[in-house]
Amino acid sequence: MTTIAPVRELRGQRLRMLRELERKVLWLSAWTVHHANHLRPNRDGLKVGGHQASCASLATVMTALYFSVLRPEDRVAVKPHASPVFHAIQYLFGHQTKDKLERFRALGGAQSYPSRTKDVDDVDFSTGSVGLGVAMTLFASLVQDYVRLKTLGDEQRPTGRMVALVGDAELDEGNIFEALLEGWKHDVRNLWWVIDYNRQSLDGVVNDRLFGRIGEMFELVGWRVVILKYGKLLETVFAQPDGDHLRQWIDDCPNSLYSALVFKGGAGWREALTRDLNQYPGVRRILEQHDDAALHRLMTNLAGNDMQAVLDAFEGVSDDKPTCFIAYTIKGQGLPFAGHKDNHSGLMTLDQMASFKKGMTIADGQEWDKFAGLSATPDELQAFIAEAPFNTAGRRRTEAPVVAIPAALPRPTDRKSSTQEGFGKILNAIAAEDSDLARRIVTTSPDVTVSTNLGPWVNRRGLWAHTEAEDVFRELKVVSAQLWRKTPRGQHLELGIAENNLFIQLAAMGLSHQLFGARLLPIGTLYDPFINRGLDALNYACYQDARFMIVATPSGVTLAPEGGAHQSIHTPLIGIGQPGLLSYEPAYVDELAVLMRHGLDYMQQDKGGSVYLRLSTRSLPQPQRTLSPAQEADIVAGGYWYAAPEAGADIAIVAMGAVTPEAIAAHESVARDFAGAGLLVLTSPDRLHADWLAAQRHRGRTVGRIDTTPSPVERLLAPLSRDARLVTVLDGHPLALSWLGSVRGQRVVPLGIESFGQSGDIPDLYRTYRLDAAAIVDAVARSIG
Ligand SMILES: Cc1ncc(C[n+]2csc(CCOP(=O)(O)OP(=O)(O)O)c2C)c(N)n1
Ligand SMILES: [Mg+2]
C-alpha cells in the first residue's frame, strides 16, 4: 500500500505536465499556421494554407507519444497535415527553431508536410501523399527485422516500434490494404497505427458504417484493435443512472449530426438531448448538472482527445503484435470551428485567433514563448521535457559504413544474350561469392522474380522469412528450376503483385542505413510498364532520398508477341523526369556490368541517388570487345561512339537499348553514301541531359573567365558539323532523345514509339512502328531532304 500513493502522485504529476504540453502544442500548431497566413508579408497573393483543425485533432495523441510513450528506437510517420504539431513538439524539445516556425511553408522554413530531407528536426518518415507514409511504417518494420535477424547492424540496438499517425480518410487509399495483406504474409510485428478517427476528410464527413468494417479488416489480418472511444468524463457519466441511454444515444448518433452538434456547442447538445432523452430522469439530471460550457466539454470528451485515456491505451500494449488504435477525436478540438464539415483548410480569423489566444492566456509578444500561459513553471516543464524517453538518445538518424564495390563486376561472356539475362547472370555470379557486397544486397519483386531473372540469385541466397520453411516441392522431389527455401538468412523478400508495395518496400530498405544503422543494397525487379502502377510510391521513395536499384524489363514494343498491354512507352521519360533516380538503358551486357557496378556505388554516395535500369528480353549478338577505362567512363556518363564519325561529319545515328542492332544495320547502309557518318549509342539520356543543364547553369554563374569545359553530350556531339543531322531511335517515346538537337542546334529526326497495343514479332512490330533499319535509313534520307 505504501508504494501506491507515490506512484499515483507521480502519475498525477505526469498527467498534469502532459496536459499542459498538450495545450502548448495545440497553441503553437495553430499559431504557426496563423502566423504564416496572416502575419507574414504575402508577395504573390497566394493562399499559404495549413490545417489548424487537422492538427488539433491529433494534439493529445502526439503529445502523449512524444513526451511520454515513444522511445528513441521507435520511428514515426506523422499524418502529413499534422506537420505543425510535429514541428511544435520538436521546438519544445529544442530541435526546431522559432525562425523556421515563423517561416512555416516559406523557403527554408519548416515544411508543409514533415520531410526527412528538408526539415531539420529529425523527421523519421516523410509524408505528403496520403497512405504512403502509413504503409512505409509496415515495410520499415520488416526491414528492421531483416537486419536484426542477420545482425547487419548494431546488435545492441533495441527493437523499435514503427508508428503511423493516420488520418481516417487515409484508409480510403488502396495502398493501405495492399500493405496490410503483405504485412500479414510476412508476419509483421512492432507496428502501431493510430487512426485519428475524427470522422472527417477534406470534403466532408466520413461514411458512418465504414469503421465497423475497418476494425474487422485489421483483425482479419492478425492485428489487435484498440478502440479509444469515450473519455474519462463521459465514462464517469455513463456509469450514473440512465447513463447507458446517453451512451446509446451517442453510439447511434450519425457522424454528420455529431459533427454539427460539436460545432453548435452546449445549447445545441441540450436541445438535441432534451428532444430525444427527456423521458429519462438520470439524463435530465445530467443536463441540469452541466451548464452549456460543461455540457459541451462532456459531450465532446472523446478518448482520442483525453490524455488519460490515450495514455492508458498506449501503455496497455507491451507485446510486439501489430496494433491498430482507433482513436475517436474531434477535428478542430478546442478551436472555434471544431466539428464543422468545412474545417479542413479552415483558418481562424483574426478575431477568432484573438479570443483563442486570450483563452490560452498568452499575452501579446509571448506567442512563441515555450511556456507562456501554462500553470506549471518553466523549470518544471523543462525538466519534464528533458526526461522524455524519446529525447534521451540524441540525434535519431543513424549511419552505416559504405560497402566497397569491386572495381569490376563479373561479366558474362555469352555471344548472344539479352540485358535481362545478363542481369540474372551477373547477380548469380555475385551470389556465388562470399563477399560483403553479396551479403548487403537484398532483392525484392512483386511476383515477377523468376520472369525478371532473379531466379538464380534466389536459388543461391534464399527467401527471407522470420522462421524457417522448407520448399515443399523440393521435399517431395518435384523437379523445378526454382529452389524457394525460406529462412531468416534469406536475401530475397518476395512480394505479392502490388507495385506500390514494391516501391515502398524499396524506400524502407533504401533508408535502412539511416533508420537502423545497417547498410543494405536493395535491388527490386518489375515489369517496366508497371512502374506506372507504383509511380507515386516510387516518387515518394525518391523524395525521401531512399537508395535502391530498380531493374525493369521488358522495355517497349520489343516485348513483341507477349502482347500490347505490357509494352512500356514513356518510361524513358519517367527516367529523365524523376528527381533522385538516375536512369540507364544499356544495349549490351558488358555495358550493364559497368552500370550495375556504378549504380551500387552511386546508391551509397552522399550526392548519389537511386538507379533505374531499363532492360530488354531481346537476345542480341554481343560485341566481342574489351572496354577501355575511357569507354567505361563514357558508358557511365551516358553514351559512346559505337562507330566514330569523321571530323565535320554531317550525319549521325543515335540509338539506345534494344533497337541498337537496327541502328547498326542502318549505319552500315548509310555509310556507303555518307562516308564518315557516325553511330552514337546512348546509355542514359537522363544523365546526359542533367549534366548538360548543369554545365550551362555553371557557366551562367561563372564570373570573369567562362568555364568552357564541355558537358559529356557536348563533347560527344562536338566532332559533327554544326548543321549535322541526327536521326535518333529508341524503343520508347521519341521525346526522350529528340532534345539532343538543342545541344548544338543540329536538326533531329526522332524515331520511337508514340502508340502501343499490338502484339506481333519483332520484324512486324519494328516495321509497323518504324523502328527497323529501313525506317532509320529513310529517316536519314528525310533529314537531308
Ligand atoms: C494521395 C493524396 N490525395 C489527396 C491529398 C489531399 N488531401 C490532403 S489531406 C486530405 C484529407 C485527409 O483526411 P483525413 O485523413 O481524415 O485527415 P484529417 O484532416 O481529417 O485528420 C486530402 C484529400 C493528399 N495529400 N494525398
Ligand atoms: Mg479525418
Side-chain angles (χ1 to χ4, degrees):
M1 286 301 280
T2 46
T3 55
I4 289 178
V7 168
R8 248 194 223 137
E9 218 169 85
L10 220 64
R11 279 223 195 111
Q13 170 71 352
R14 183 178 65 144
L15 201 57
R16 188 169 81 90
M17 289 296 149
L18 288 173
R19 285 193 174 131
E20 293 275 277
L21 290 171
E22 173 191 9
R23 223 171 122 82
K24 183 50 71 178
V25 163
L26 172 65
W27 161 258
L28 282 173
S29 65
W31 180 253
T32 301
V33 175
H34 184 78
H35 182 276
N37 283 276
H38 293 295
L39 303 175
R40 234 175 25 213
N42 183 329
R43 296 182 300 181
D44 52 17
L46 281 183
K47 173 188 102 169
V48 178
H51 304 86
Q52 290 170 327
S54 307
C55 286
S57 71
L58 264 184
T60 320
V61 163
M62 287 179 70
T63 303
L65 283 173
Y66 282 95
F67 291 109
S68 185
V69 177
L70 291 179
R71 301 182 298 238
E73 60 273 19
D74 298 334
R75 298 279 180 259
V76 191
V78 177
K79 175 183 86 168
H81 40 303
S83 163
V85 178
F86 173 79
H87 294 308
I89 290 170
Q90 297 300 328
Y91 176 61
L92 293 173
F93 277 133
H95 305 316
Q96 179 57 280
T97 65
K98 170 173 163 251
D99 170 62
K100 285 192 187 287
L101 292 186
E102 283 176 332
R103 290 188 293 125
F104 174 60
R105 296 192 165 208
L107 188 65
Q111 294 295 298
S112 321
Y113 308 125
S115 164
R116 281 182 63 79
T117 53
K118 298 188 188 65
D119 277 317
V120 292
D121 45 2
D122 260 353
V123 171
D124 291 331
F125 301 114
S126 301
T127 52
S129 179
V130 299
L132 299 184
V134 184
M136 180 75 177
T137 56
L138 183 149
F139 290 106
S141 184
L142 294 180
V143 173
Q144 175 174 245
D145 287 347
Y146 181 92
V147 300
R148 181 175 55 79
L149 290 170
K150 292 198 178 53
T151 55
L152 289 172
D154 174 5
E155 286 174 53
Q156 304 303 317
R157 193 191 151 74
T159 301
R161 291 163 300 196
M162 303 296 117
V163 181
L165 305 173
V166 188
D168 47 353
E170 286 195 74
L171 296 176
D172 285 332
E173 286 286 2
N175 85 277
I176 301 260
F177 301 95
E178 295 176 14
L180 270 180
L181 280 180
E182 204 58 59
W184 174 78
K185 287 188 228 165
H186 288 285
D187 192 14
V188 70
R189 300 151 192 209
N190 298 300
L191 191 58
W192 281 15
W193 286 3
V194 186
I195 299 173
D196 178 5
Y197 186 35
N198 58 28
R199 302 164 306 287
Q200 284 182 248
S201 60
L202 195 163
D203 282 339
V205 179
V206 170
N207 184 308
D208 284 308
R209 291 173 311 161
L210 193 63
F211 258 71
R213 292 289 166 272
I214 294 227
E216 286 166 19
M217 285 176 76
F218 277 94
E219 279 167 353
L220 204 63
V221 287
W223 288 51
R224 172 194 294 113
V225 176
V226 177
I227 298 178
L228 292 82
K229 192 160 187 186
Y230 296 118
K232 301 291 171 188
L233 289 178
L234 271 175
E235 291 288 4
T236 310
V237 166
F238 292 155
Q240 293 170 9
D242 289 332
D244 49 338
H245 294 293
L246 182 63
R247 178 199 289 272
Q248 195 60 49
W249 186 88
I250 306 182
D251 278 346
D252 294 343
C253 187
N255 287 345
S256 47
L257 175 62
Y258 186 84
S259 293
L261 290 172
V262 168
F263 181 70
K264 287 183 88 171
W269 291 114
R270 194 173 301 280
E271 192 190 327
L273 292 172
T274 309
R275 186 188 58 224
D276 295 343
L277 300 179
N278 210 34
Q279 69 269 38
Y280 303 111
V283 174
R284 286 203 302 274
R285 195 167 324 111
I286 292 167
L287 290 177
E288 280 156 20
Q289 283 167 346
H290 291 77
D291 65 13
D292 279 358
L295 185 62
H296 183 59
R297 213 172 313 122
L298 175 71
M299 292 302 287
T300 55
N301 176 233
L302 301 185
N305 293 132
D306 182 312
M307 187 59 78
Q308 178 70 67
V310 166
L311 288 174
D312 286 352
F314 288 149
E315 286 167 0
V317 173
S318 56
D319 59 13
D320 65 1
K321 184 170 172 156
T323 302
C324 168
F325 298 91
I326 300 180
Y328 278 68
T329 58
I330 288 173
K331 192 156 173 169
Q333 173 76 332
L335 306 183
F337 38 56
H340 196 291
K341 72 182 175 66
D342 305 335
N343 68 9
H344 183 77
S345 314
L347 297 173
M348 277 186 259
T349 61
L350 293 174
D351 286 347
Q352 284 174 326
M353 179 47 90
S355 70
F356 180 59
K357 188 166 128 182
K358 204 162 150 222
M360 285 277 168
T361 51
I362 289 174
D364 285 346
Q366 288 188 338
E367 292 87 354
W368 296 113
D369 193 296
K370 289 187 181 172
F371 306 118
L374 303 182
S375 59
T377 68
D379 284 349
E380 274 181 301
L381 289 161
Q382 197 65 66
F384 183 79
I385 290 173
E387 277 173 19
F390 175 81
N391 199 27
T392 48
R395 200 168 150 70
R396 302 172 59 64
R397 203 160 290 198
T398 55
E399 286 176 0
V402 163
V403 176
I405 311 298
L409 297 186
R411 274 181 210 183
T413 50
D414 309 70
R415 291 188 160 267
K416 221 170 159 235
S417 172
S418 70
T419 44
Q420 191 208 53
E421 203 182 328
F423 164 72
K425 288 192 171 171
I426 293 170
L427 216 50
N428 186 32
I430 294 174
E433 292 165 7
D434 179 23
S435 65
D436 200 26
L437 169 64
R439 264 189 300 281
R440 296 283 163 173
I441 290 177
V442 52
T443 59
T444 180
S445 183
D447 201 28
V448 290
T449 297
V450 175
S451 52
T452 55
N453 250 313
L454 268 181
W457 161 269
V458 176
N459 281 346
R460 284 191 194 272
R461 292 276 159 174
L463 276 96
W464 179 77
H466 278 98
T467 46
E468 306 262 349
E470 262 308 327
D471 182 345
V472 174
F473 280 81
R474 190 178 159 82
E475 276 180 10
L476 298 183
K477 298 198 168 50
V478 178
V479 178
S480 163
Q482 316 304 331
L483 170 59
W484 289 66
R485 221 168 109 234
K486 294 182 179 174
T487 80
R489 298 175 304 285
Q491 282 180 254
H492 174 77
L493 207 145
E494 178 72 4
L495 298 170
I497 325 168
E499 286 71 16
N500 265 312
N501 283 344
L502 171 75
F503 289 125
I504 304 174
Q505 180 66 81
L506 286 170
M509 289 171 166
L511 287 173
S512 168
H513 53 297
Q514 293 184 349
L515 293 173
F516 308 118
R519 176 81 60 179
L520 293 178
L521 298 170
I523 300 178
T525 66
L526 79 162
Y527 286 180
D528 199 52
F530 303 130
I531 285 180
N532 291 311
R533 176 73 80 106
L535 193 52
D536 195 31
L538 171 61
N539 181 54
Y540 174 67
C542 294
Y543 172 67
Q544 304 201 66
D545 200 24
R547 303 301 182 82
F548 51 87
M549 181 180 281
I550 54 174
V551 180
T553 33
S555 57
V557 296
T558 305
L559 168 67
E562 282 197 69
H566 287 16
Q567 292 161 348
S568 66
I569 300 308
H570 60 270
T571 44
L573 299 177
I574 292 172
I576 293 174
Q578 178 62 52
L581 188 70
L582 173 58
S583 67
Y584 284 106
E585 183 166 346
Y588 297 115
V589 174
D590 56 358
E591 297 169 12
L592 173 68
V594 170
L595 295 172
M596 280 178 71
R597 201 219 82 85
H598 174 68
L600 290 166
D601 187 48
Y602 180 79
M603 280 155 62
Q604 304 183 75
Q605 291 170 14
D606 281 347
K607 291 198 183 316
S610 288
V611 179
Y612 160 29
L613 302 176
R614 187 174 189 250
L615 304 188
S616 168
T617 44
R618 184 184 183 193
S619 195
L620 303 185
Q622 298 293 310
Q624 301 302 302
R625 60 187 177 184
T626 307
L627 296 170
S628 68
Q631 279 172 312
E632 291 194 359
D634 281 351
I635 286 166
V636 168
Y640 64 94
W641 285 104
Y642 186 92
E646 272 175 16
D650 290 325
I651 295 286
I653 297 170
V654 185
M656 181 165 78
V659 294
T660 301
E662 279 60 36
I664 293 172
H667 177 257
E668 278 166 11
S669 120
V670 166
R672 282 181 232 128
D673 295 327
F674 300 97
L679 171 58
L680 184 60
V681 170
L682 295 193
T683 52
S684 179
D686 179 21
R687 176 101 192 232
L688 289 174
H689 187 259
D691 287 346
W692 173 53
L693 295 195
Q696 290 183 58
R697 276 194 301 272
H698 178 64
R699 281 170 212 149
R701 264 192 252 114
T702 322
V703 189
R705 206 164 57 85
I706 304 265
D707 180 357
T708 52
T709 316
S711 70
V713 71
E714 290 166 315
R715 186 172 45 74
L716 283 171
L717 296 178
L720 301 174
S721 74
R722 268 278 165 197
D723 58 355
R725 314 296 155 99
L726 309 177
V727 171
T728 61
V729 58
L730 76 154
D731 185 357
H733 199 280
L735 185 57
L737 299 185
S738 60
W739 62 273
L740 287 167
S742 305
V743 176
R744 296 185 68 223
Q746 292 155 334
R747 207 159 94 199
V748 171
V749 179
L751 300 178
I753 312 292
E754 294 162 87
S755 64
F756 70 106
Q758 309 246 33
S759 39
D761 63 8
I762 285 183
D764 274 347
L765 291 188
Y766 279 13
R767 190 183 67 251
T768 306
Y769 289 106
R770 302 199 50 75
L771 294 176
D772 59 5
I776 300 172
V777 171
D778 185 49
V780 170
R782 271 191 292 136
S783 77
I784 49 173

